[in-house]
């Protein structure tokens, strides 16, 4: 039942906006029944599942069933624990299909879409997660692109890679980015980006971002600085003409990335101060996090490894607070690139390489690299 969620760390059952708090053994007992609804469990089976290596009595199961039933009373219209005389217990779940009339209200849909964009803009990951989990209660449905974005934001990369029921071209933008976090050959990533941009099947807004924004870091990483400068100048012109204000901070950051590579000492300090002032117009958590990483690069450039680590860690912490997993991968790739480029501090390089490896394992990037590469090769 999709509307029922179990929060394992807190021993909580959530159904829409309602929460039921269990004690640990109560939660484990309910979970055992919930995983196999309508299956009859004997007392011995429940004892083995919940009280492993303990020596409780049959009465222990009955007492816990009584307590769980009492806590489930508010949800009695959709579920209850039945006693099968002489055998044991089973959980019976009744799915209630109740269409929310607000789903047909255009004003509600429009307002929720605007709220989603605001939460996205300000990096409010927790709020976006709540919207996702409570769509049926709030009376709206996320479209496919917003659903994909939420999975991307949360780092559910494997879900995106394996969701073959969603057309490749809807997923392409996200697959390209995920692959760029893993692939050592950034030139190959650029080739994929170029092929995607040239294909008419990719959504227009995705093509725009790939063309004027997303290619720039890859050009820097691959040492194509002249091409990067030309593209940066064109991108700034397009962004100002089309008034795509959300791109401005990111383009400013990319301008600084180029200055660090070119060792433009005079302009670096001046531009850092200018951009910090300009960011007051864009008080968004992800932009603040990115700027912390840039301040770390500036400190690294000045050979102050202690200060650099301070800013790097602040930036990574802010991305974690925003629940924006891609920001962690992008930042760690940038940090490791400049540590190599400047030939600075082996200890810092090892520290952030280990951190990147840990995130790769946590978000299963090794498992999806082959899957994504095959899809990119097949469609691009």
């Amino acid at each position: 039942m999709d509307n029922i969620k179990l929060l394992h760390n807190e021993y909580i059952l959530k159904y829409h906006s309602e929460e039921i708090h269990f004690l640990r053994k109560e939660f484990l007992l309910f979970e055992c029944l919930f995983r196999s609804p309508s299956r009859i469990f004997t007392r011995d089976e429940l004892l083995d599942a919940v009280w492993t290596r303990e020596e409780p009595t049959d009465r222990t199961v009955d007492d816990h069933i009584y307590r769980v039933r009492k806590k489930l009373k508010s949800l009695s219209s959709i579920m209850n624990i039945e006693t099968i005389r002489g055998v044991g217990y089973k959980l019976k779940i009744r799915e209630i299909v109740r269409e929310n009339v607000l789903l047909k209200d255009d004003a509600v849909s429009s307002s929720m879409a605007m709220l989603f964009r605001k939460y996205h803009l300000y990096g409010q990951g927790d709020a976006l997660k709540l919207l996702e989990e409570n769509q049926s209660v709030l009376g709206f449905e996320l479209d496919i692109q917003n659903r994909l974005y939420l999975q991307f934001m949360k780092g559910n990369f494997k879900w995106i890679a394996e969701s073959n029921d969603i057309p490749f071209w809807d997923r392409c933008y996200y697959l390209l980015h995920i692959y760029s976090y893993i692939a050592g050959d950034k030139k190959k990533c650029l080739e994929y980006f170029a092929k995607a941009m040239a294909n008419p099947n990719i959504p227009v807004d995705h093509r725009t971002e790939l063309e004027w924004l997303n290619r720039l870091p890859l050009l820097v990483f691959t040492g194509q600085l002249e091409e990067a400068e030309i593209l940066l100048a064109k991108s700034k012109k397009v962004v100002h003409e089309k008034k795509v204000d959300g791109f401005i901070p990111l383009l400013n950051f990319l301008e600084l990335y180029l200055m660090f590579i070119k060792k433009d000492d005079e302009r670096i300090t001046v531009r850092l101060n200018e951009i910090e002032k300009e960011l007051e117009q864009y008080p968004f958590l992800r932009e603040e996090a990115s700027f912390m990483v840039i301040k770390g690069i500036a400190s690294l450039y000045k050979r102050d490894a202690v200060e650099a680590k301070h800013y790097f860690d602040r930036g990574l912490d802010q991305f974690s607070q925003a629940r924006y997993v891609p920001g962690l991968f992008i930042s760690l790739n940038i940090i490791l690139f400049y540590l190599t480029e400047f030939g600075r501090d082996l200890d810092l390089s090892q520290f952030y390489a280990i951190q990147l490896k840990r995130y790769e394992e946590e978000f299963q990037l090794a498992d999806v690299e082959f899957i994504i590469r095959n899809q990119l090769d097949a469609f691009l």
Side-chain angles (χ1 to χ4, degrees), residues 25 29 110 131 134 206 234 253 289 296 298 341 349:
K25 292 295 187 184
L29 177 62
S110 176
L131 280 183
N134 293 283
H206 288 174
K234 288 181 179 177
F253 299 157
E341 185 70 22
S349 296

Side-chain angles (χ1 to χ4, degrees), residues 57-74:
T57 65
D58 287 353
R59 192 68 216 162
T60 302
V61 173
D62 296 339
D63 289 343
H64 279 73
I65 289 287
Y66 170 78
R67 296 208 295 266
V68 172
R69 273 180 175 151
K70 193 172 179 181
K71 291 185 176 181
L72 291 175
K73 195 169 181 180
S74 61

Side-chain angles (χ1 to χ4, degrees), residues 206-241:
H206 288 174
R207 180 185 292 110
T208 299
E209 290 199 30
L210 290 172
E211 184 173 5
W212 301 112
L213 190 65
N214 304 143
R215 285 188 303 148
L216 276 162
L218 291 173
L219 287 171
V220 174
F221 289 160
T222 53
Q224 300 178 64
L225 303 185
E226 188 175 338
E227 293 90 333
E229 284 188 292
I230 293 169
L231 179 56
L232 179 63
K234 288 181 179 177
S235 296
K236 283 190 166 187
K237 187 172 184 292
V238 169
V239 163
H240 286 291
E241 285 175 354

Side-chain angles (χ1 to χ4, degrees), residues 16 30 40 55 57 76 108 132 136 198-199 238 258 281 288 291 331 342 367 370:
H16 293 310
F30 174 79
I40 300 171
E55 295 183 1
T57 65
S76 59
V108 170
E132 178 190 25
S136 58
N199 196 296
V238 169
L258 276 167
Q281 302 173 52
E288 289 176 10
F291 191 64
S331 297
F342 296 157
D367 296 342
F370 180 74

Side-chain angles (χ1 to χ4, degrees), residues 266-328:
E266 290 183 12
R267 287 287 295 149
I268 286 173
T269 303
V270 172
R271 199 69 187 104
L272 269 170
N273 292 332
E274 289 174 349
I275 290 174
E276 188 162 22
K277 186 69 176 173
E278 288 171 21
L279 279 175
E280 292 176 7
Q281 302 173 52
Y282 307 96
F284 312 139
L285 189 55
R286 288 200 304 272
E287 278 68 16
E288 289 176 10
S290 296
F291 191 64
M292 284 299 110
V293 173
I294 284 179
K295 289 183 81 169
I297 295 169
S299 299
L300 198 67
Y301 184 74
K302 295 184 296 185
R303 300 181 180 273
D304 190 338
V306 174
E307 187 177 76
K309 186 177 186 302
H310 166 74
Y311 284 123
F312 289 154
D313 290 346
R314 277 187 63 184
L316 294 170
D317 285 344
Q318 286 178 316
F319 277 121
S320 295
Q321 290 170 30
R323 302 289 191 273
Y324 189 65
V325 172
L328 295 172

Side-chain angles (χ1 to χ4, degrees), residues 5-14 19-31 64-65 67-73 75 79 81:
K5 299 187 184 300
L6 301 183
L7 308 183
H8 295 83
N9 293 334
E10 298 141 285
Y11 310 133
I12 292 174
L13 158 66
K14 286 189 69 173
E19 290 187 356
I20 294 175
H21 294 251
F22 292 113
L23 298 175
R24 181 172 177 274
K25 292 295 187 184
E26 294 168 355
F27 182 86
L28 294 174
L29 177 62
F30 174 79
E31 183 181 30
H64 279 73
I65 289 287
R67 296 208 295 266
V68 172
R69 273 180 175 151
K70 193 172 179 181
K71 291 185 176 181
L72 291 175
K73 195 169 181 180
L75 298 180
M79 69 172 73
I81 299 174

